[in-house]
Amino acid sequence: MNKVEIPVRFNDCDMLGHVNNAMYLTYFETGRLGLFKIFNPTLDISKWNLIVASVKCDYIHEINYGQTITVYSWISRLGRSSFDIEHAILDENGRWAARGKVVMVHYNFKEKKAMPLTDSIKSQLLELQQKPEGVPSLQ
């Protein structure tokens, strides 16, 4: 499981005074950064080999400006060339604010096709299957 703390910035919020719904997906992406390094250790865009196939977000509790949130990310499924990363956001008051899931595909951009996950990559991803304690289920 990856765990990342993120301070909520003023520009993350909308005119209703809480974090805009689109920012939750950015928080999830930030939580995936460590997982990206399994595929591309230098994060070199010219060698990028992942693509998002699907994304889901359940909004549970609002997040407000000035808080520090914790994004948890873990692997919940491995396929031939794709895998699922689940996310949970915990606010600084101990409330679950969001749950999400993204389907990622190991992808060759030159050939425009999916690539099988190597045994080495699968092994590293399997080490990240633990989810946080008490996390709510996806809806």
Side-chain angles (χ1 to χ4, degrees):
M1 168 179 51
N2 271 1
K3 178 180 170 183
V4 178
E5 289 188 355
I6 302 171
V8 176
R9 303 169 306 169
F10 179 79
N11 62 323
D12 293 349
C13 300
D14 59 23
M15 60 188 237
L16 298 175
H18 56 257
V19 170
N20 182 273
N21 62 8
M23 284 305 303
Y24 288 70
L25 301 181
T26 300
Y27 296 152
F28 290 165
E29 183 178 50
T30 301
R32 292 194 294 272
L33 185 60
L35 297 164
F36 290 163
K37 290 181 179 182
I38 292 171
F39 292 85
N40 188 334
T42 63
L43 300 177
D44 182 347
I45 294 297
S46 69
K47 298 176 183 175
W48 204 255
N49 54 4
L50 289 171
I51 194 167
V52 173
S54 175
V55 67
K56 170 184 179 35
C57 182
D58 295 335
Y59 302 96
I60 301 169
H61 194 279
E62 72 180 35
I63 302 170
N64 296 303
Y65 169 68
Q67 291 188 326
T68 297
I69 58 170
T70 304
V71 179
Y72 295 90
S73 305
W74 65 96
I75 303 299
S76 62
R77 181 194 65 84
L78 288 179
R80 183 182 154 284
S81 59
S82 67
F83 56 101
D84 295 353
I85 303 172
E86 291 196 33
H87 299 284
I89 298 175
L90 188 69
D91 74 11
E92 63 187 23
N93 298 311
R95 294 178 296 209
W96 294 106
R99 276 285 278 119
K101 181 170 85 170
V102 62
V103 178
M104 301 291 300
V105 177
H106 190 210
Y107 193 76
N108 183 316
F109 283 90
K110 286 183 182 178
E111 297 181 19
K112 304 265 189 238
K113 68 177 190 178
M115 298 185 304
L117 297 169
T118 66
D119 289 340
S120 173
I121 287 173
K122 285 182 181 179
S123 175
Q124 292 176 74
L125 292 175
L126 287 171
E127 292 177 12
L128 300 169
Q129 289 186 302
Q130 181 183 356
K131 63 182 177 180
E133 192 173 310
V135 68
S137 299
L138 284 164
Q139 297 301 309

